[in-house]
Amino acid sequence: MVNLEQTINELHDLNAERDAFSSISGYFFQFELTLLHILYDGSEKDAFSDKECKATYKVETIEDYVKYYKKDDKGYIRLAQMKHHVSKTTNSKYYSAVLSLYYTYLNFIEKNETNIELRATIFHYDMSPVKDIYTVLTSAIESEDKSLQSIITKIIDTGLDSEVNRLSFSQITSFEKTETHASISQILKQELSNRYQSLHPNHTPERLYASAVSKLIQDSGNGLDLSIETLNSLFLDEVEIMKGFYQLKIIDYVKGIIDSCINEVDINFRYTEEVKTTYAGIYVDFIAPFIEVKFQHPEFRYSFLRTVTPKEFSKAIELNSLSEYESFLEASDAIKQTLSNLAKIIFNYLSSGEEIRLEDWFEITEKGWLFDYPSEERGKGVLIGNFYGDIFSSLYYMLPRLKDRDLRPDVWYVKHDDVDINASNQLNYEVDITSPSEDLHKHIYAQPFDDHYHIQCLGCLTVSNLSDCKKVNNIFIDQCRVKGV
C-alpha cells in the first residue's frame, strides 16, 4: 500500500513553521512558474521529467509546492523551491532552501517508505553559474549565520546527518535555471492563450493569465489541490479575476524593485558586511512593510506615482486594473531611485539613535506623498525620481501636480544634471524656482507665485557611496553647503 497522502501530510507538519512568503519579492514568480509546471505536467516539458503522469499539486505544502502521483503501485513525491534574483548570487543565498529540503529528506528516509520515490528541485533565476547541491549543503551546515541555526539544529537532532546521507540527498536534489520572471510571465500567457483562448470569446491572453493566477492564489489559500484537469475545467466558461489581483501584482512588483536594491548593495565589494546587513534591514524592516501597507489604498498608489515620476503621467489610469500595473512598470526607474534615496536617508538617521517611524515622516493623501523629515529646516518636501536630460521638461510635467495649495511642497529632493540648478561653487543654491530670472530661464514653464520652493540637488546624499554619510544632513539645511561645511 502506498501511503502517499499520509507521508505528504506528515512531512508538511514538520515544516509548518516555515514562512510561506519569506522573501521580499517572488510571490507572483512562484505562482506563475507553478502554473506553467501544471500546464506541462506529464509532457516532454514536465519540470521533473515525469512522463505520462496525472499529478496533483499543492502550493505551500512542505515547500513552495509539492507534486505527487501514483503509477504502477508506486508513489512519487516532487518538491519544488523557487527563487528569483536579479543579479549574481553567492551560495549563501540558497543555504536556507537547501537546508529545508535536506531536513525534509532526512525525515523522509526515516519513514522507510520504499515504495515512494522522492525528488526535489530548486528552480531559480540568477546571473550566476548553476550551483552544486552538495557544496551548498556542506557550506550551509557549517555556516555561522544565526538565522540558520534553528534549521541546522533540527537537522542535527534527527541523528541522521552523515556523509552518506548528504551524498544521497545530492543525488535526488538539483538546481535548475529558469527564465527571468518577465519571460516566465510571457511564456505562461502564451501557453494559456494557445490552449484556452478559443473556448470563449472573452478569453483574452491577459484575462486568461489573471484568472489563472487568481485561481491558484485563492485555491492554495484555501488548501485546495490543483491539477491540469482543474485548469481545463476552469476555462470552459467565462473566467473571473479575483478582487484586488492587480493590487497584489503591483505590491509584488515594487517588492521586486526593493529586492534589486538589496542585491545591488549585497554584490558591491566596497561595502562591509555590516553595511550590507544594515541596508537589507532598512529595506526589509522599514521600507517594504510601509509601502505594502500604504499600497493597500488605491488612491495612495496613484498619488505615489504622481509624486515620484518626473515624466508625463497618464490621467486615464483605472485603479485596480492592468493600466495601473503598467503605469508602475513605466515608472520603475523613478520608484527605484526614490526608494534608494530614502534608504540612505534612513541609514544616516540610524546614527542619531532616534526611533524611525516612516508613518511620521510622510504625510500621504490622494494628491501626493509629502516627506516631513525631522530635521528639515524649510518645511515639507517630496522625494522625486531623478531628472535626466532637460530638467525643464521634467518641471513642465511635475509643476501642475505639485502646485495644489493642499499639497504644494517646500522642497523638491531630486538628483539632476542641469548646471543652472545644481549646486556648484558658482551657484550655491537656486531658491526661487517659481519666479526665475527671465533672462536666465526663458524656457521654464512656471507661474510667478508669491511663494517659492527649493530644488534640493541631492549632491550631498551621494547615493553612489551608500556608506558615506558625512554630508547627508546638508540636504535638509536652508542654503546649500557645497563642500559640506
Side-chain angles (χ1 to χ4, degrees), residues 9 31 40 77 183 230 232 259 271 307 366 390 407 443 451:
N9 291 335
F31 280 148
Y40 289 156
I77 297 176
S183 295
T230 304
N232 289 342
D259 201 24
Y271 301 138
T307 302
E366 62 184 19
D390 181 7
L407 172 68
H443 55 311
D451 55 350

Side-chain angles (χ1 to χ4, degrees), residues 44 55 68 104 106 125 146 203-204 213 246 269 290 296 306 329 333 429:
E44 293 183 357
Y68 61 97
T104 298
L106 294 179
Y125 173 79
K146 293 181 180 179
H203 283 358
T204 64
V213 179
Y246 285 104
F269 67 91
F290 182 71
Q296 304 294 325
R306 284 174 56 85
L329 296 183
D333 287 344
Y429 206 70

Side-chain angles (χ1 to χ4, degrees), residues 32-48:
E32 290 170 22
L33 190 55
T34 299
L35 278 169
L36 202 56
H37 288 178
I38 294 174
L39 291 171
Y40 289 156
D41 184 56
S43 71
E44 293 183 357
K45 295 182 179 180
D46 187 282
F48 290 90

Side-chain angles (χ1 to χ4, degrees), residues 237-256:
D237 300 309
E238 185 174 4
V239 291
E240 295 182 356
I241 300 172
M242 65 180 282
K243 183 179 179 181
F245 174 79
Y246 285 104
Q247 172 180 296
L248 288 175
K249 194 162 176 61
I250 288 167
I251 291 173
D252 182 73
Y253 180 71
V254 175
K255 283 187 174 182

Side-chain angles (χ1 to χ4, degrees), residues 39 187-199 203-206 208-209:
L39 291 171
I187 294 169
L188 175 61
K189 290 177 181 179
Q190 186 63 54
E191 191 67 35
L192 289 167
S193 181
N194 291 343
R195 291 171 182 248
Y196 305 116
Q197 190 167 358
S198 62
L199 298 181
H203 283 358
T204 64
E206 178 61 29
L208 287 168
Y209 158 79

Side-chain angles (χ1 to χ4, degrees), residues 296-304 319 365-367 369:
Q296 304 294 325
H297 305 277
E299 65 274 14
F300 290 173
R301 297 196 301 270
Y302 181 73
S303 63
F304 175 80
L319 298 178
T365 71
E366 62 184 19
K367 294 180 179 178
W369 288 43

Side-chain angles (χ1 to χ4, degrees), residues 95-345:
Y95 282 176
S96 179
V98 172
L99 288 172
S100 175
L101 288 170
Y102 183 52
Y103 176 63
T104 298
Y105 171 73
L106 294 179
N107 284 283
F108 172 75
I109 61 174
E110 187 176 30
K111 296 179 180 300
N112 196 31
E113 295 283 356
T114 56
N115 58 344
I116 298 178
E117 177 186 288
L118 176 71
R119 286 173 53 200
T121 301
I122 299 174
F123 299 96
H124 66 106
Y125 173 79
D126 60 39
M127 299 181 69
S128 303
V130 175
K131 304 181 189 305
D132 175 69
I133 284 288
Y134 177 81
T135 301
V136 175
L137 173 62
T138 302
S139 300
I141 292 177
E142 296 173 355
S143 171
E144 296 181 359
D145 186 337
K146 293 181 180 179
S147 66
L148 300 174
Q149 294 314 302
S150 175
I151 183 66
I152 293 173
T153 298
K154 287 182 179 180
I155 288 171
I156 302 303
D157 287 348
T158 65
L160 297 172
D161 177 45
S162 66
E163 183 66 17
V164 171
N165 282 338
R166 291 185 190 185
L167 287 170
S168 59
F169 168 75
S170 302
Q171 292 172 352
I172 63 99
T173 307
S174 63
F175 282 102
E176 183 171 326
K177 283 264 193 158
T178 73
E179 302 286 342
T180 66
H181 185 187
S183 295
I184 292 296
S185 296
Q186 290 304 314
I187 294 169
L188 175 61
K189 290 177 181 179
Q190 186 63 54
E191 191 67 35
L192 289 167
S193 181
N194 291 343
R195 291 171 182 248
Y196 305 116
Q197 190 167 358
S198 62
L199 298 181
H200 195 280
N202 291 338
H203 283 358
T204 64
E206 178 61 29
R207 192 166 182 81
L208 287 168
Y209 158 79
S211 60
V213 179
S214 293
K215 180 168 181 58
L216 187 57
I217 293 173
Q218 292 173 317
D219 285 2
S220 60
N222 294 324
L224 301 179
D225 300 341
L226 294 113
S227 66
I228 185 63
E229 287 79 9
T230 304
L231 291 178
N232 289 342
S233 61
L234 171 66
F235 295 116
L236 292 175
D237 300 309
E238 185 174 4
V239 291
E240 295 182 356
I241 300 172
M242 65 180 282
K243 183 179 179 181
F245 174 79
Y246 285 104
Q247 172 180 296
L248 288 175
K249 194 162 176 61
I250 288 167
I251 291 173
D252 182 73
Y253 180 71
V254 175
K255 283 187 174 182
I257 292 175
I258 292 173
D259 201 24
S260 70
C261 292
I262 295 174
N263 280 331
E264 286 182 6
V265 178
D266 191 48
I267 64 174
N268 195 313
F269 67 91
R270 295 186 303 167
Y271 301 138
T272 65
E273 288 304 314
E274 181 181 3
V275 169
K276 294 177 181 180
T277 301
T278 301
Y279 269 98
I282 287 170
Y283 282 112
V284 173
D285 300 331
F286 295 110
I287 296 179
F290 182 71
I291 290 291
E292 182 163 8
V293 169
K294 297 305 176 185
F295 276 21
Q296 304 294 325
H297 305 277
E299 65 274 14
F300 290 173
R301 297 196 301 270
Y302 181 73
S303 63
F304 175 80
L305 284 184
R306 284 174 56 85
T307 302
V308 308
T309 311
K311 296 180 180 179
E312 184 174 9
F313 190 84
S314 173
K315 296 181 180 179
I317 292 176
E318 179 185 351
L319 298 178
N320 293 313
S321 71
L322 176 61
S323 65
E324 185 191 1
Y325 173 65
E326 289 175 341
S327 295
F328 273 86
L329 296 183
E330 293 171 2
S332 60
D333 287 344
I335 295 170
K336 185 173 183 179
Q337 292 151 8
T338 300
L339 298 183
S340 296
N341 290 338
L342 177 60
K344 180 155 187 185
I345 291 171

Side-chain angles (χ1 to χ4, degrees), residues 395-446:
L395 289 172
Y396 176 77
Y397 294 125
M398 295 300 295
L399 278 167
R401 302 181 212 157
L402 300 178
K403 70 180 182 181
D404 190 289
R405 283 283 178 184
D406 297 333
L407 172 68
R408 190 184 307 165
D410 301 295
V411 189
W412 292 17
Y413 306 98
V414 56
K415 186 176 184 296
H416 49 83
D417 302 322
D418 192 285
V419 293
D420 289 338
I421 306 297
N422 261 330
S424 68
N425 288 323
Q426 290 74 38
L427 178 68
N428 282 343
Y429 206 70
E430 182 71 25
V431 292
D432 197 352
I433 195 61
T434 57
S435 183
S437 164
E438 294 251 346
D439 293 334
L440 183 60
H441 298 305
K442 289 182 179 179
H443 55 311
I444 192 167
Y445 299 93

